[in-house]
Amino acid sequence: AQSVTQLDSHVSVSEGTPVLLRCNYSSSYSPSLFWYVQHPNKGLQLLLKYTSAATLVKGINGFEAEFKKSETSFHLTKPSAHMSDAAEYFCVVSASWRDDKIIFGKGTRLHILP
Amino acid sequence: NAGVTQTPKFRVLKTGQSMTLLCAQDMNHEYMYWYRQDPGMGLRLIHYSVGEGTTAKGEVPDGYNVSRLKKQNFLLGLESAAPSQTSVYFCASRPDQQGARSNEKLFFGSGTQLSVL
């Protein structure tokens, strides 16, 4: 079985400063990992995905995430926050083709301070 | 190209009433999922399907039933609605990868806001 833990329910950063959203996963098999973003009253959008190729994954809007197997982590980062980044972010795990469940974390609400 | 369509978009039920939410996708996707989203809980998987005629339980299946009689449709039923089922429901689909790693993104519907009084 797989699970995902987002370590912070809320994160606040000032505009122009770095963003770090933390995610730890648990999986019986080599996982696929994703980050999705949901802006207020909007649908879910894929930011990036890890599928066992490069461990550093680049996504849209300047976001990237690093897969660290030894730490079972997949933290999301961005060098410089923008006001438009204010949203809820979800870390998602899928444990390969053997288990088709796709499990979401509880989400991290990112607040951007002017 | 409509993608994933959910109907209805809004619904208010009384406790004990039943209803069916319909999810339809026109992308010929094999996999379909039903999630519920509640504040502070993220999206929780209710049921999912890996192909026509198949269904499986997710994280929170109690109180819900599903059917996948046609590949393009995935129905979510509430037999006797309870206030605890007040939530936003999302349907999602993704293509099959012929046994390979499931690295395809999910395609989401726009959601159904359900209130149970």
Side-chain angles (χ1 to χ4, degrees), chain B residues 4-11 88-89 109-114:
Chain B
V4 180
T5 303
Q6 290 183 233
T7 53
K9 294 191 185 305
F10 302 94
R11 186 72 186 267
V88 179
Y89 292 84
S110 58
T112 295
Q113 193 162 338
L114 175 66

Side-chain angles (χ1 to χ4, degrees), chain A residues 41-62:
Chain A
N41 299 314
K42 294 289 181 66
L44 289 120
Q45 180 182 22
L46 178 68
L47 275 179
L48 49 80
K49 62 183 181 183
Y50 164 77
T51 57
S52 83
T55 55
L56 183 62
V57 181
K58 294 188 183 299
I60 61 172
N61 301 332

Side-chain angles (χ1 to χ4, degrees), chain A residues 82-109:
Chain A
H82 191 273
M83 293 300 291
S84 62
D85 295 328
E88 190 154 26
Y89 293 79
F90 296 98
C91 184
V92 180
V93 63
S94 175
S96 82
W97 62 273
R98 294 179 64 91
D99 183 343
D100 300 298
K101 292 179 184 176
I102 297 179
I103 303 298
F104 280 68
K106 293 185 176 181
T108 298
R109 175 75 64 179

Side-chain angles (χ1 to χ4, degrees), chain A residues 15-112:
Chain A
E15 190 174 21
T17 65
V19 175
L20 170 64
L21 305 184
R22 299 182 294 164
C23 172
N24 286 110
Y25 70 91
S26 173
S27 176
S28 302
Y29 306 103
S30 294
S32 293
L33 293 158
F34 308 79
W35 276 98
Y36 282 82
V37 60
Q38 186 179 34
H39 287 91
N41 299 314
K42 294 289 181 66
L44 289 120
Q45 180 182 22
L46 178 68
L47 275 179
L48 49 80
K49 62 183 181 183
Y50 164 77
T51 57
S52 83
T55 55
L56 183 62
V57 181
K58 294 188 183 299
I60 61 172
N61 301 332
F63 284 95
E64 62 182 36
E66 186 171 9
F67 173 73
K68 292 186 176 180
K69 186 175 181 180
S70 61
E71 299 177 9
T72 60
S73 69
F74 190 57
H75 300 335
L76 182 71
T77 60
K78 183 174 180 177
S80 177
H82 191 273
M83 293 300 291
S84 62
D85 295 328
E88 190 154 26
Y89 293 79
F90 296 98
C91 184
V92 180
V93 63
S94 175
S96 82
W97 62 273
R98 294 179 64 91
D99 183 343
D100 300 298
K101 292 179 184 176
I102 297 179
I103 303 298
F104 280 68
K106 293 185 176 181
T108 298
R109 175 75 64 179
L110 178 61
H111 304 271
I112 310 296

